[in-house]
Amino acid sequence: MAARGGADDRVHVLGVRHHGPGSARAVHAALVRLRPDAVLIEGPPEADALVELAADPDMVPPVALLGYRDDDPSRAAFWPFAEFSPEWQALRYAVTRDVPVRFCDLPAAHTLAWEAEAAPVPAAVDAPDDPEAEAPDGAEDDGGAAEARAARTDPIAVLARTAGYDDPERWWEDVVEHRDDGESPFPAIAAAMEVLRETAESAGPGPDDAREAAREAHMRKVLRAALREGFQRIAVVCGAWHAPALRTLPSAAADAAALRGLPKAKVSVTWVPWTHGRLAAASGYGAGVTAPGWYHHLFTAADRPVLRWLTEAARLLREEDQPVSSAHVIEAVRLAESLAVLRGRPLAGLSEVAEATTAVLCEGAEARAALVHRRMVVGERLGEVPAATPALPIQRDLREAQRRLRLRPEATVRDIELDLRKDLDLQRSRLLNRLLLLGVRWGAPRRGDRRRRGTFAETWSLAWQPEFDVALVEAGRWGTTVASAAAARVRELAAEAALPALTRLTEECLRAGLDGALGEVVAAVSRRAAVDTDITHLMAALPPLARAQRYGGVRRHDASSLRAVTDELLTRVCVGLGPALAAAAPAGSSARRPASGGGATAKEAARTVELVDGVHAATGLLGEADRSRWLDTLAECAARSGVEGLVAGRLHRLLHDACRLGGDELVVRFGHATAAAEPPARAAAWIEGFVGGAGAGGGLLLVHDTELLGLVDRWLSGLGADAFGEVLPLLRRAFGAFAPPERRAIGEQARRLGGGPAGRTESVSGGHPVDDERAAPAVATVLRLLAPAAASPVPSPSLQESR
């Protein structure tokens, strides 16, 4: 071994930029030339037992080492590798040639314990930021302090500025990524980093110096152990910033002192799939690159990369029905190469290729160019790990379910449509819903898809993210399979959930096919409903139970057990709604009641309307007897005099839609609500509740029922200036929810009420007279469409007869 503090010619330090294709090629070339008998790689030593899996043909990068604390799996860290990562190339070189390989960074046991002591961490975090990674510029400062701080946080940017570049990415591409002369760049990189480290040290200690010192001390510790084992050619692949610290070895005692007393936790490490999107700097990954898709292309298509890239961009655009010819590709290549020559670059880089794509292939259309950027520059690619990878039983169960149900995880978002009448689709739906209960949002249900109205149809958006493996590890405490873990999670949630959440949990159990847990949740609902006296809780709890009872058969579940609980809830709602509305009404006569147009009262009234609408929709899913009982309750409540204006208007609208309130009676009540004795704000709130919001059909009702519209018109005409200003915001809110055609039609009807041209011979939009003779053929065609089975041709009536 060399003398203390000196360099050792048995050690060859290859300082790299993480996830750089030029660095990856340079590392591979250096290893072929050196033929080392041992390789040390920056990474957690706990993963040494997993390195052989890198030789498995089923291991497809991008992948990552996942380390998590056994006592708290939410505290985790990832060490990602892409095919163009220098560390991955070094690992593959070693395992395919039976060269001993080890990871030498600070153990994950210390890293994760350190993270826990420093501050709370999210469910999944990236490996600690690497100083050589691109970082935001610091605040402006004077003199060498700012330069020293920049050297510590972003040494690549400092070197780029020194070379006259305004873009660190472009400088690194020109100097390293596009090198083809075969000369090793590592001595020059190490020398440059040594100067930058001296500059940084001159400014005093940095915030992460203690951690960086511990990392480098452990790297040297592993290196000394390899030298003691007798290895003669040791290749060390690490971040460029650390290279100077490993070229000379200080005393072992100094390094031991730096490692003494570090916090420690028990951890587990495994391989998990990763994505190119999570390698991008935009994802928040500290050592990320701006264009992982471009870098993957540079590494895998070293022969004429610009031509191949633009050809692939043209193919992508053609798939989107964009007209791109071979001539476009030829001209785009010429433009990219010409821009590189003008800018003095050895090869066209991403900026030149992007400009050529926009200008030629996309003909200046930025939106089309954005498609290419999103699909190719970042390039969502999901890696794969072999079946032999260590995993928890729940992870293996999910992988088996994915294989059995033919649901391949992908990084890109894709939509699938499920038909629950098919056994395969039903099982897929159950799996995705069980994962939702466990916090694994692999699939996001698209509720209310208007294209598929049947209760048997579902649409899901699927996109796999690496953090889901962490969520599965956390879910492992509830069970060894997805089904058992979801059932245990449901029981845990049911123990403390309020009544509305408990009934929603019932619906989720039904979707997930958790029959065993469903019975326990239903029993909990019955117990909780028996003691819950809050009418709002009861009303919020009813809709999920009604949906579960109605659609249980679609999911092949006997929902009869829900019937008794649903009946009990509906009975209590019907009995308690009237007194609750009376208790919520402000004290005093109607003339002195405050308006429900703002403040806490308005919010409470809006919440009551939302709950009433929910129960009304729920009773539509139940039997006729339940529907009739509910409508009787609404009729009784609507007749009360002390109900808030917004709520009262909504009750009358629901009764009118259900044919429980005739036109004449409705006109009378409408007139009472807008009488001069009523406060204008309350009358406006009544109208707002009656016409409802978007989708309630209130606009069409006013268009076709001119008597109601006339009542509104006369009420508004009788208001004074002050009262009109008071109610105008409320009416704007009510009528603003209508579609523009509905508002125009209401305006036309109001114009006629005010003395404008009247009669049925006008169109709603233009007010032009209708030519009966010209309209007759169109009327005849409509009649034929409405009666296609008529034995004889329908005669062409006159327009007046059709009316």
Side-chain angles (χ1 to χ4, degrees):
M1 182 179 293
R4 178 184 301 180
D8 194 315
D9 57 7
R10 292 175 294 173
V11 178
H12 304 271
V13 181
L14 310 180
V16 301
R17 184 194 187 196
H18 300 308
H19 317 306
S23 292
R25 282 194 295 268
V27 163
H28 187 272
L31 294 177
V32 171
R33 183 174 59 254
L34 290 172
R35 299 180 64 185
D37 54 2
V39 176
L40 305 183
I41 301 174
E42 183 178 324
E46 292 91 343
D48 285 350
L50 305 176
V51 295
E52 294 300 328
L53 289 173
D56 194 307
D58 292 333
M59 179 77 82
V60 181
V63 293
L65 287 168
L66 165 63
Y68 58 89
R69 292 181 53 157
D70 292 347
D71 60 341
D72 184 5
S74 66
R75 299 193 177 277
F78 293 104
W79 286 263
F81 301 88
E83 188 172 358
F84 51 84
S85 300
E87 297 89 344
W88 178 258
Q89 291 300 315
L91 183 60
R92 286 281 300 172
Y93 172 90
V95 297
T96 56
R97 291 170 174 79
D98 294 327
V99 176
V101 57
R102 300 169 187 171
F103 289 106
C104 61
D105 203 351
L106 192 67
H110 297 311
T111 300
L112 294 175
W114 207 328
E115 291 285 351
E117 290 189 357
V121 296
V125 296
D126 293 316
D129 290 357
D130 292 281
E132 65 270 27
E134 184 177 357
D137 293 336
E140 293 185 3
D141 202 349
D142 296 330
E147 189 70 14
R149 184 168 56 250
R152 177 181 284 112
T153 59
D154 193 0
I156 300 298
V158 174
L159 293 176
R161 286 196 298 270
T162 303
Y165 283 71
D166 60 356
D167 184 1
E169 292 282 344
R170 177 175 294 184
W171 176 82
W172 186 265
E173 281 190 3
D174 289 352
V175 175
V176 178
E177 307 301 347
H178 295 163
R179 292 176 60 93
D180 57 3
D181 55 9
E183 184 179 349
S184 175
F186 299 116
I189 291 175
M193 291 298 164
E194 190 167 0
V195 173
L196 290 176
R197 288 174 68 103
E198 292 174 358
T199 303
E201 291 171 1
S202 66
D208 294 327
D209 280 2
R211 178 174 301 194
E212 294 303 310
R215 293 179 64 192
E216 292 172 351
H218 193 273
M219 292 180 190
R220 290 190 292 265
K221 177 182 177 180
V222 176
L223 179 55
R224 288 191 190 92
L227 290 170
R228 285 196 300 269
E229 292 182 38
F231 294 113
Q232 298 301 309
R233 294 183 306 281
I234 303 175
V236 183
V237 180
C238 63
W241 180 259
H242 305 299
L246 304 181
R247 299 178 74 187
T248 58
L249 298 178
S251 66
D255 286 341
L259 295 172
R260 188 176 300 118
L262 292 181
K264 191 174 183 180
K266 188 175 181 180
V267 301
S268 298
V269 178
T270 187
W271 288 105
V272 295
W274 199 250
T275 68
H276 274 180
R278 287 312 177 93
L279 286 172
S283 69
Y285 172 42
V289 294
T290 58
W294 168 251
Y295 278 5
H296 178 83
H297 175 78
L298 285 180
F299 187 77
T300 57
D303 177 36
R304 308 188 73 178
V306 174
L307 174 60
R308 295 180 184 275
W309 177 271
L310 292 172
T311 301
E312 178 64 18
R315 184 194 63 79
L316 175 62
L317 289 169
R318 291 191 194 103
E319 288 182 353
E320 298 295 328
D321 295 329
Q322 301 297 324
V324 181
S325 66
S326 300
H328 283 90
V329 177
I330 294 172
E331 292 304 319
V333 172
R334 288 175 177 172
L335 177 58
E337 293 175 347
S338 298
L339 289 173
V341 172
L342 290 173
R343 295 167 180 174
R345 305 195 66 183
L347 181 68
L350 179 59
S351 58
E352 287 76 24
V353 171
E355 290 179 38
T357 300
T358 302
V360 181
L361 299 185
C362 300
E363 299 177 344
E366 295 290 343
R368 292 161 61 185
L371 171 67
V372 176
H373 180 89
R374 183 174 64 252
R375 298 274 293 274
M376 293 183 63
V377 176
V378 175
E380 280 298 349
R381 181 187 297 267
L382 179 65
E384 298 178 11
V385 297
T389 304
L392 294 179
I394 191 172
Q395 292 175 301
R396 295 188 179 279
D397 179 66
L398 176 58
R399 292 172 188 170
E400 171 59 25
Q402 290 171 334
R403 183 196 63 78
R404 184 181 69 256
L405 301 178
R406 300 196 291 277
L407 277 178
R408 180 185 178 89
E410 298 178 3
T412 55
V413 178
R414 66 185 180 100
D415 292 342
I416 62 170
E417 294 186 351
L418 303 181
D419 185 341
L420 302 184
R421 297 170 298 183
K422 301 177 181 178
D423 185 69
L424 177 63
D425 285 357
L426 178 62
Q427 295 302 322
R428 287 174 170 177
S429 175
R430 288 176 175 175
L431 174 65
L432 294 172
N433 278 289
R434 289 169 182 173
L435 290 174
L436 287 179
L437 286 168
L438 296 175
V440 182
R441 298 192 63 82
W442 175 28
R446 290 172 49 184
R447 309 290 188 199
D449 192 339
R450 295 182 181 274
R451 299 172 301 171
R452 303 292 299 274
R453 293 182 177 273
T455 59
F456 57 83
E458 286 184 347
T459 303
W460 293 78
S461 293
L462 304 183
W464 185 264
Q465 299 295 335
E467 299 84 40
F468 296 158
D469 280 292
V470 179
L472 281 173
V473 172
E474 293 184 82
R477 68 179 185 269
W478 290 308
T480 57
T481 66
V482 173
S484 64
R489 176 59 173 158
V490 164
R491 295 185 181 99
E492 183 179 290
L493 292 173
E496 300 179 357
L499 182 59
L502 201 56
T503 55
R504 287 195 298 270
L505 196 60
T506 301
E507 192 176 15
E508 292 169 3
C509 279
L510 184 64
R511 293 196 188 105
L514 302 175
D515 295 348
L518 179 61
E520 299 179 29
V521 175
V522 171
V525 170
S526 180
R527 292 192 302 269
R528 202 72 50 84
V531 297
D532 199 324
T533 59
D534 191 331
I535 187 66
T536 61
H537 287 178
L538 299 175
M539 295 176 72
L542 186 61
L545 279 180
R547 289 192 297 266
Q549 178 181 325
R550 176 64 179 271
Y551 301 131
V554 177
R555 297 181 178 274
R556 305 178 192 177
H557 177 83
D558 183 7
S560 58
S561 59
L562 303 176
R563 180 67 194 180
V565 181
T566 305
D567 286 344
E568 178 185 353
L569 276 179
L570 181 58
T571 299
R572 296 188 60 190
V573 168
C574 291
V575 171
L577 181 59
L581 294 179
S589 65
S590 62
R592 297 192 302 272
R593 278 197 298 270
S596 56
T601 303
K603 293 180 180 178
E604 294 170 2
R607 175 58 178 162
T608 301
V609 167
E610 180 182 351
L611 292 172
V612 168
D613 284 346
V615 175
H616 188 73
T619 56
L621 303 177
L622 304 176
E624 288 298 327
D626 293 329
R627 183 69 162 182
S628 178
R629 184 166 39 141
W630 169 247
L631 291 175
D632 291 341
T633 301
L634 292 184
E636 179 185 350
C637 294
R640 293 174 177 264
S641 60
V643 182
E644 281 284 349
L646 187 71
V647 180
R650 193 61 182 159
L651 296 180
H652 282 83
R653 173 61 189 280
L654 295 177
L655 290 170
H656 175 267
D657 290 347
C659 300
R660 283 294 192 97
L661 190 60
D664 294 339
E665 178 65 19
L666 178 61
V667 169
V668 172
R669 296 195 185 187
F670 207 123
H672 289 167
T674 57
E678 290 291 331
R682 184 181 187 276
W686 198 99
I687 295 174
E688 180 184 358
F690 183 84
V691 300
L700 292 176
L701 180 65
L702 292 178
V703 169
H704 295 291
D705 196 330
T706 56
E707 193 167 8
L708 291 181
L709 184 61
L711 289 173
V712 177
D713 181 67
R714 288 195 296 274
W715 169 68
L716 281 173
S717 300
L719 293 176
D722 294 339
F724 183 80
E726 182 182 353
V727 303
L728 183 60
L730 302 178
L731 292 176
R732 284 178 60 88
R733 181 174 62 191
F735 284 79
F738 299 153
E742 292 179 348
R743 293 201 299 268
R744 286 196 299 270
I746 292 174
E748 289 293 333
Q749 290 284 25
R751 182 169 65 86
R752 299 189 189 99
L753 293 174
R760 294 179 179 265
T761 60
E762 297 181 11
S763 66
V764 173
S765 59
H768 300 293
V770 175
D771 188 324
D772 289 356
E773 185 176 349
R774 294 179 60 191
V779 173
T781 301
V782 172
L783 291 176
R784 288 191 181 95
L785 293 174
L786 294 177
S792 59
V794 178
S796 299
S798 69
L799 190 60
Q800 294 295 336
E801 290 173 344
S802 68
R803 292 174 183 162

